[in-house]
């Protein structure tokens, strides 16, 4: 029964979907050299640009510099590559934050349902693994998951980042999960709600009101 619940709703409808795991390249350098306020504003700006690449898809922020996007009802696997390529392109333009000109980039890993997994846990794990493959390939690119990647990426790679962030200041979409959970657990919780057929879902993607002050949890 539990195994059945973990399977995605698209399985019941014969749909194909993609999970994109994104990691902002060299974000720690920005935080360490320019300070956390600049880093927070950079994350908000990146989230807005990434959200602009999506239509009915879902974007969630997990840890300090990690995002997950769900692309439902793909007609062709190449559609996921099109979205990933667009995400890379929209971040190519310089961002002016305070007195700093920043050019952020992301590394993106892609896992496809049902090819790369038929449960939320497996899809997230494989997308995360593919993201590390993109890092190894030089960053600022995307990689589709292939089984050979499991031999090169440590199984604990995604658990090395234990921070989960709250709502982004002025961001378009954010993940609203238990702030003390790990990024992997946050992704699983949000993705399970989506995969259960609860889309659109206010808990998955929402616009924070201007009256809410941004919060960060360590």
């Amino acid at each position: 029964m539990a195994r059945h619940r973990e399977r995605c709703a698209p399985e019941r409808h014969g749909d194909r979907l993609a999970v994109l795991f994104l990691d902002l390249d060299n974000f720690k350098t920005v935080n360490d050299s320019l300070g956390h306020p600049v880093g927070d504003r950079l994350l908000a700006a990146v989230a807005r640009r990434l959200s602009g690449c999506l239509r009915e898809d879902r974007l969630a922020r997990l840890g300090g510099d990690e995002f997950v996007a769900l692309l439902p009802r793909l007609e062709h696997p190449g559609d996921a590559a099109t979205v990933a390529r667009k995400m890379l392109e929209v971040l190519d333009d310089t961002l002016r934050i305070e007195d700093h000109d920043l050019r952020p980039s992301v590394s993106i890993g892609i896992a496809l349902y049902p090819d790369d997994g038929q449960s939320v846990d497996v899809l997230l794990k494989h997308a995360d693994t593919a993201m590390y493959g993109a890092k190894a390939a030089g960053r600022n690119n995307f990689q589709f998951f292939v089984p050979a990647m499991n031999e090169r990426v440590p199984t604990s790679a995604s658990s090395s980042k234990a921070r989960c962030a709250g709502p982004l200041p002025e961001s378009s979409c954010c993940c609203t999960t238990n702030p003390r959970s790990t990024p992997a657990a946050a992704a699983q919780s949000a993705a399970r709600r989506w995969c259960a057929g609860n889309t659109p879902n206010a808990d998955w993607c929402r616009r924070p009101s201007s009256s809410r002050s941004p919060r960060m949890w360590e």
Side-chain angles (χ1 to χ4, degrees):
M1 181 68 69
R3 182 180 178 183
H4 174 74
R5 284 197 300 267
E6 285 188 355
R7 290 185 179 274
C8 288
E11 180 179 14
R12 301 192 292 271
H13 305 290
D15 291 340
R16 178 187 294 274
L17 65 84
V19 174
L20 276 61
F21 204 112
L22 301 87
D23 187 273
L24 191 61
D25 297 326
N26 301 314
F27 178 66
K28 185 178 185 300
T29 301
V30 174
N31 263 349
D32 291 347
S33 61
L34 303 180
H36 289 277
V38 172
D40 289 347
R41 292 187 61 186
L42 175 62
L43 286 170
V46 167
R48 285 193 296 271
R49 289 194 178 184
L50 294 177
S51 298
C53 299
L54 306 174
R55 295 181 181 178
E56 297 180 357
D57 312 316
R58 298 291 173 260
L59 176 72
R61 180 189 172 201
L62 304 183
D65 57 358
E66 293 177 329
F67 299 85
V68 165
L70 298 178
L71 313 181
R73 301 178 182 86
L74 295 180
E75 294 184 4
H76 189 276
D79 295 340
T82 299
V83 173
R85 192 174 294 111
K86 185 176 181 181
M87 288 177 164
L88 297 175
E89 291 174 352
V90 298
L91 294 180
D92 194 47
D93 293 334
T94 300
L95 283 169
R96 183 71 174 179
I97 297 180
E98 295 184 3
D99 296 326
H100 310 286
D101 291 325
L102 304 176
R103 294 190 64 181
S105 67
V106 293
S107 296
I108 305 174
I110 305 173
L112 300 171
Y113 171 88
D115 308 64
D116 301 325
Q118 298 187 14
S119 73
V120 172
D121 292 352
V122 172
L123 288 170
L124 285 169
K125 175 185 175 182
H126 287 170
D128 189 20
T129 298
M131 183 273 292
Y132 277 92
K135 293 279 190 185
R139 306 177 188 268
N140 194 28
N141 70 93
F142 65 88
Q143 298 287 325
F144 282 90
F145 172 79
V146 294
M149 289 178 173
N150 283 327
E151 302 174 3
R152 302 193 299 266
V153 179
T155 56
S156 61
S158 63
S159 63
S160 63
K161 297 181 180 180
R163 292 194 307 167
C164 183
L168 280 170
E170 302 177 4
S171 65
S172 313
C173 290
C174 64
C175 176
T176 57
T177 57
N178 185 342
R180 296 192 180 279
S181 65
T182 64
Q188 291 165 2
S189 175
R192 280 196 180 98
R193 290 197 295 273
W194 183 88
C195 284
N198 301 327
T199 180
N201 187 316
D203 288 335
W204 169 253
C205 180
R206 72 180 183 181
R207 183 184 301 274
S209 65
S210 58
S211 61
R212 292 183 60 183
S213 59
R215 295 174 294 170
M216 295 286 290
W217 290 276
E218 298 296 335

